[in-house]
Amino acid sequence: MADSSTPSFKAADLVIQLTSSPKTKPDIGDFGTVFTDHMLVIEWSLAEGWEAPLIRPFGNLSLHPACSSLHYGIQLFEGFKAYRGDDDQLRLFRPMLNMNRMAKSAKRACLPAFDQAELLECIRRLVEVDQDWVPHSDLASLYVRPTFIGTEPSLGLKKPTRALLYVILSQAGFYFKTKAEAVSLWADPKFTRAWKGGTGDCKMGGNYGCSLSAQYEAEDHGCQQVLWLYGDDHQITEAGTMNVFLHWINENGEEELATPPLDGIILPGVTRQSILELTRQWGEFEVTERYITMDQLCSALKQQRVKEMFGSGTACMICPVGHVVYQGENLHIPHQDAQLTSRIAKELTDIQYGRTPCDWTLLV
Ligand SMILES: Cc1ncc(COP(=O)(O)O)c(C=O)c1O
């Protein structure tokens, strides 16, 4: 976290300009298509430092055509959700972890530092302003999308001298149209999502734009998502935009929940961290951050040692894997009873919607 000596905007300086024409709230549509009435914008320049944060009516940005985020991808984003509990109270789920990840991405993108607690308080105020947009449903939520872009108005490739941090909000229903049905994954080692020394552990747009053609190839092969492999031994790394977990009896005959370690190519997911902490608290089986290769998965499947495999992320929360298509084989992954997946989903949603009191949530 930036300490108090880091030059930063302050939530106490927040200016709020309310819209005079609030929108009619439509039914929840496709993910990320309908936005709320307001947005948070905070400008930075090397000459002036951070300006006062501003909540203003939602609207288009005006950018210089040479803007460095458009030309060189000097940008990053975050994603988390506000949930309306059964008690009508709004909660954010572990948002400080997102602030922390955002600050790390900013450092990697050569964007200026900010005080994470101050940003979180500005976001909390934004959600408060648009609180009527948080759905009255425990199947839906309000997605919070902080974005940080270089707005350097010149074509020289350099550390930006101007930047814009903004936050927009969008209603979110179920991410997968097929709800919690098990997904099929296309595992082709010719694609690499991230590599050692790269930016795979940061949430930068470039990581996502360049993954799209693999996603469409997966769809061409009848799969819903890509299972991203890495290295000559085809290590399993992530699934689509989710972290990946394998619940199995490992090579030593132990029951284990395993997920790849944070070695620079894995996005440190908030849901991933929460699942690790939750299942370690249970103390019922080994919970490990370790490498898993496709060979290991294939032999475990042959020997019927695989219990479940699932992806995790804010958007879908937890998503069982039903099939992996790999080297011409359609590998069936057990998912019929999805015991672990359902138990984790219940425990996490109980926290998010306030049914289980927990200091993982921040009240809005
Ligand atoms: C590549 C990638 N992996 C994993 C995740 C899951 O992270 P989180 O649980 O913080 O949403 C995301 C989503 O942000 C992602 O983009």
Side-chain angles (χ1 to χ4, degrees):
M1 186 188 303
D3 61 36
S4 52
S5 60
T6 306
S8 182
F9 51 84
K10 299 269 179 282
D13 300 330
L14 183 66
V15 176
I16 301 183
Q17 292 169 1
L18 294 180
T19 180
S20 53
S21 48
K23 293 177 255 192
T24 318
K25 293 171 196 63
D27 290 341
I28 301 175
D30 284 346
F31 174 71
T33 53
V34 175
F35 294 91
T36 63
D37 287 317
H38 298 91
M39 63 196 286
L40 170 71
V41 289
I42 318 175
E43 305 253 13
W44 174 87
S45 70
L46 187 61
E48 306 289 331
W50 286 104
E51 290 184 8
L54 171 67
I55 289 177
R56 64 148 164 96
F58 184 92
N60 291 346
L61 302 174
S62 173
L63 296 174
H64 190 283
C67 178
S68 58
S69 57
L70 298 178
H71 290 264
Y72 306 125
I74 300 177
Q75 70 87 247
L76 59 96
F77 65 100
E78 265 304 324
F80 56 99
K81 286 175 171 173
Y83 306 86
R84 186 183 296 278
D86 302 347
D87 54 0
D88 212 26
Q89 175 72 56
L90 306 186
R91 291 175 178 80
L92 302 174
F93 183 70
R94 311 191 83 179
M96 207 53 199
L97 295 180
N98 296 87
M99 298 297 100
N100 194 245
R101 190 168 67 188
M102 184 165 175
K104 284 194 192 133
S105 303
K107 191 156 194 276
R108 187 69 168 84
C110 293
L111 285 164
F114 56 87
D115 187 305
Q116 297 168 39
E118 298 291 340
L119 177 57
L120 181 54
E121 175 56 12
C122 294
I123 293 176
R124 194 195 64 74
R125 298 280 299 279
L126 175 67
V127 174
E128 196 174 48
V129 167
D130 276 342
Q131 56 183 282
D132 290 349
W133 285 83
V134 184
H136 290 259
S137 158
D138 64 359
L139 295 179
S141 54
L142 188 71
Y143 183 75
V144 181
R145 169 54 67 92
T147 315
F148 198 4
I149 62 174
T151 51
E152 180 71 30
S154 80
L155 292 176
L157 178 59
K158 59 177 184 182
K159 215 171 179 171
T161 61
R162 304 194 70 83
L164 173 69
L165 195 167
Y166 64 93
V167 184
I168 51 179
L169 307 173
S170 175
Q171 287 188 328
F174 266 115
Y175 187 64
F176 291 106
K177 289 199 181 113
T178 46
K179 300 199 174 154
E181 270 170 34
V183 286
S184 49
L185 303 178
W186 172 249
D188 186 336
K190 82 175 180 211
F191 296 118
T192 308
R193 189 196 83 89
W195 46 91
K196 299 270 165 72
T199 57
D201 57 349
C202 295
K203 224 164 149 54
M204 295 159 111
N207 295 342
Y208 297 82
C210 69
S211 73
L212 259 191
S213 62
Q215 166 65 27
Y216 282 98
E217 193 169 311
E219 289 178 25
D220 289 344
H221 289 87
C223 293
Q224 287 154 295
Q225 304 268 322
V226 177
L227 181 62
W228 298 102
L229 305 179
Y230 184 75
D232 293 338
D233 55 353
H234 301 174
Q235 290 163 30
I236 292 170
T237 63
E238 303 215 36
T241 56
M242 299 183 287
N243 293 116
V244 72
F245 284 82
L246 180 65
H247 182 209
W248 66 337
I249 306 296
N250 68 17
E251 311 89 327
N252 304 324
E254 298 149 347
E255 183 176 347
E256 180 181 64
L257 179 65
T259 191
L262 300 180
D263 61 354
I265 62 168
I266 305 291
L267 201 273
V270 175
T271 323
R272 174 189 181 279
Q273 182 174 331
S274 305
I275 292 172
L276 288 174
E277 290 175 16
L278 197 71
T279 51
R280 279 181 180 142
Q281 270 168 26
W282 297 348
E284 294 175 16
F285 40 75
E286 294 291 317
V287 179
T288 319
E289 291 166 79
R290 56 161 282 179
Y291 293 106
I292 311 159
T293 63
M294 280 307 296
D295 270 356
Q296 288 169 329
L297 175 65
C298 291
S299 31
L301 284 169
K302 276 199 195 98
Q303 297 164 10
Q304 301 193 329
R305 288 189 283 112
V306 174
K307 290 170 165 288
E308 278 171 72
M309 185 173 172
F310 57 87
S312 74
T314 298
C316 67
M317 155 89 82
I318 186 160
C319 176
V321 176
H323 293 268
V324 175
V325 178
Y326 175 64
Q327 292 183 336
E329 269 196 87
N330 189 351
L331 307 169
H332 173 76
I333 314 288
H335 61 274
Q336 298 318 350
D337 54 355
Q339 272 184 13
L340 183 63
T341 320
S342 319
R343 183 172 168 198
I344 293 171
K346 178 170 185 324
E347 292 213 9
L348 287 183
T349 42
D350 280 351
I351 293 171
Q352 290 164 342
Y353 289 92
R355 294 183 285 262
T356 304
C358 179
D359 61 8
W360 280 358
T361 55
L362 175 77
L363 299 184
V364 174

